[in-house]
Amino acid sequence: MKAKRVYNSSLISSSITNPRHLWKSINTILHRASLPALPTYDSLSSLSHSFAKFFSDKIHKLHTSLLFNHSTTSPHISPPFTPPCFSSFAPVTTDDVSNLLSQSPDTNCDLDPIPTSLLKQCSHALLPTITNIINLSISTGVFPDQFKSCSVHPHLKKANLDKEDLSNYRPISHLSFLSKLTERVVKLRLTEFLSSNNVFNSFQSAYIKHHSTETALLSVHDHIIKVMSHQQVTCLTLLDLSAAFDTIRYH
């Protein structure tokens, strides 16, 4: 019992600065696990097929409702100068991969052969192999087909929504740990290139260090207050795309 108290105390102490992890730790200690909300079903197999068909049809309808005219001139503004050529990714070292591993959460995917926590404990033996896999991927420009597979979990968008309506669910894709690790390496390399060459849009707030939705809102609020103080008219236009990332054609 004493060892259990010490373990639980250390678990709470390590999460004291992160409310999300803190409540997750408390719920784990108290064995409070809420069951996922799902529609009424006869079998898990039929329910899985129903969700798969619904999410697939949603993407198809979304694409057909949009006009994909590739001959149209791009609306993007050209950068003020031509950045240097980015033709290849610099390889990663075992130290780079080790740092990424230590920063990664202990989340698991059904496709992972071993839990992430166990992989971290065995990292001293697995680091060379993992580093080699990542370097082979970024040097050849090939993202393995196994890394493209994911485990899709339907999550109810809001607790008060009708769980029998499939449109009230959001598909959450769980990717294998190695695929996410490779993506992080590519993201770091791209971010380093864009940042060092000042290619980032000055108004971009997403996916930039020290920027977030909060900084974006502060910027918009500050701009509105300034123009109002000069008695100028302000018009704010917001665009909300349904399944925004699904509007992108990947092939």
Side-chain angles (χ1 to χ4, degrees):
M1 288 296 294
K2 183 179 179 180
K4 188 175 182 180
R5 284 199 301 270
V6 171
Y7 172 77
N8 290 339
S9 298
S10 64
L11 192 65
I12 293 175
S13 299
S14 63
S15 307
I16 201 69
T17 59
N18 191 322
R20 180 181 177 185
H21 288 174
L22 177 60
W23 281 109
K24 185 177 180 181
S25 300
I26 292 174
N27 289 332
T28 300
I29 294 172
L30 298 178
H31 303 288
R32 294 190 305 201
S34 58
L35 295 174
L38 291 173
T40 305
Y41 58 90
D42 296 325
S43 67
L44 284 174
S45 176
S46 62
L47 180 64
S48 299
H49 282 91
S50 297
F51 269 118
K53 185 178 186 307
F54 174 79
F55 291 139
S56 178
D57 290 346
K58 180 180 178 181
I59 304 301
H60 177 71
K61 292 175 182 177
L62 186 64
H63 281 182
T64 54
S65 66
L66 297 173
L67 296 176
F68 289 98
N69 187 354
H70 297 287
S71 62
T72 304
T73 305
S74 173
H76 299 100
I77 301 173
S78 301
F81 61 91
T82 303
C85 179
F86 184 70
S87 57
S88 60
F89 290 97
V92 291
T93 64
T94 52
D95 289 338
D96 294 331
V97 177
S98 178
N99 290 333
L100 287 174
L101 277 174
S102 62
Q103 297 168 10
S104 302
D106 291 341
T107 53
N108 296 314
C109 174
D110 300 336
L111 305 177
D112 289 328
I114 60 175
T116 304
S117 57
L118 180 59
L119 186 146
K120 287 183 177 181
Q121 295 174 21
C122 304
S123 61
H124 61 283
L126 298 174
L127 268 176
T129 302
I130 295 174
T131 303
N132 188 40
I133 291 173
I134 295 175
N135 281 331
L136 281 173
S137 177
I138 63 178
S139 63
T140 59
V142 176
F143 198 67
D145 289 339
Q146 292 86 345
F147 286 6
K148 299 176 185 178
S149 299
C150 66
S151 174
V152 181
H153 294 228
H155 282 238
L156 199 62
K157 296 176 182 178
K158 292 182 180 180
N160 59 345
L161 294 176
D162 181 9
K163 67 176 186 177
E164 301 298 333
D165 187 354
L166 298 186
S167 63
N168 290 331
Y169 289 83
R170 179 184 292 108
I172 305 297
S173 298
H174 292 210
L175 297 166
S176 66
F177 183 75
L178 278 184
S179 72
K180 291 189 289 186
L181 206 60
T182 306
E183 286 181 0
R184 290 192 185 103
V185 170
V186 172
K187 176 184 178 294
L188 285 174
R189 292 291 186 263
L190 287 175
T191 302
E192 290 169 0
F193 173 79
L194 295 173
S195 179
S196 60
N197 291 283
N198 297 318
V199 183
F200 276 122
N201 189 302
S202 58
F203 297 104
Q204 181 175 337
S205 190
Y207 312 113
I208 298 182
K209 192 175 183 180
H210 305 309
H211 287 69
S212 63
T213 52
E214 184 178 0
T215 56
L217 288 171
L218 286 172
S219 177
V220 172
H221 180 267
D222 182 63
H223 181 74
I224 292 175
I225 294 298
K226 283 182 178 178
V227 294
M228 287 178 64
S229 64
H230 289 86
Q231 297 183 345
Q232 296 176 346
V233 177
T234 303
C235 178
L236 176 63
T237 303
L238 301 174
L239 178 62
D240 183 16
L241 292 175
S242 174
F245 284 101
D246 294 329
T247 62
I248 304 172
R249 286 189 179 273
Y250 297 98
H251 53 79

